[in-house]
Amino acid sequence: MLKPNTQYETHMKTSNLKTSFYVKTDFPQIFTGSLSKLEKTVEAEYMDMLRNSCHREKITKAKLFMKAKYSSNTQLRKKAADYSTESCQLLEQLPGQGRSEAEKQFRDFYQDWE
């Protein structure tokens, strides 16, 4: 689990990306699988979550820019420019997750609006 709950409350971190995840209290006694495979799965789930969140943030930001463009609303344009894409920023900071060409074009497009 990436977030704690009443069943998964023991905090652990992956050795590669230092991604936090939570396991049952008796995890060390009952887990017989490969810890490295488990950590890779946790990291893949975390990156998928960030990608999905980043995609939603980009769509929201694009909609705000379009509304601002067609309404000539400078306050809405500022809101769009200031809209946080925190998940995208976190994703960019992960090793091997540099921006693709499409992401660069997306960013360049919106920087022209600011």
Side-chain angles (χ1 to χ4, degrees), residues 10-14 19-23 27 35 38-39:
T10 302
H11 181 254
M12 295 182 73
K13 284 190 175 202
T14 62
T19 303
S20 290
F21 67 105
Y22 297 85
V23 296
F27 175 81
L35 187 57
L38 174 65
E39 288 183 358

Side-chain angles (χ1 to χ4, degrees), residues 48-112:
D48 284 346
M49 181 195 70
L50 283 180
R51 282 187 200 103
N52 290 334
S53 295
C54 175
H55 181 70
R56 283 191 306 275
E57 291 165 359
K58 286 179 178 181
I59 288 171
T60 301
K61 188 168 187 145
K63 286 179 179 180
L64 287 171
F65 270 118
M66 288 302 176
K67 285 180 183 178
K69 178 182 178 181
Y70 291 111
S71 69
S72 300
N73 185 329
T74 56
Q75 287 180 329
L76 192 56
R77 184 173 157 191
K78 179 171 177 14
K79 181 178 178 180
D82 293 343
Y83 188 82
S84 173
T85 54
E86 183 179 349
S87 297
C88 300
Q89 293 165 359
L90 288 171
L91 192 58
E92 286 177 13
Q93 293 171 3
L94 294 176
Q97 299 299 314
R99 291 199 317 254
S100 69
E101 189 58 36
E103 289 173 309
K104 289 176 188 173
Q105 290 173 354
F106 179 88
R107 176 171 252 147
D108 292 344
F109 174 79
Y110 288 106
Q111 283 179 344
D112 291 342

Side-chain angles (χ1 to χ4, degrees), residues 16-30:
N16 183 31
L17 298 179
K18 309 299 182 219
T19 303
S20 290
F21 67 105
Y22 297 85
V23 296
K24 292 182 178 181
T25 309
D26 59 354
F27 175 81
Q29 292 81 29
I30 63 169

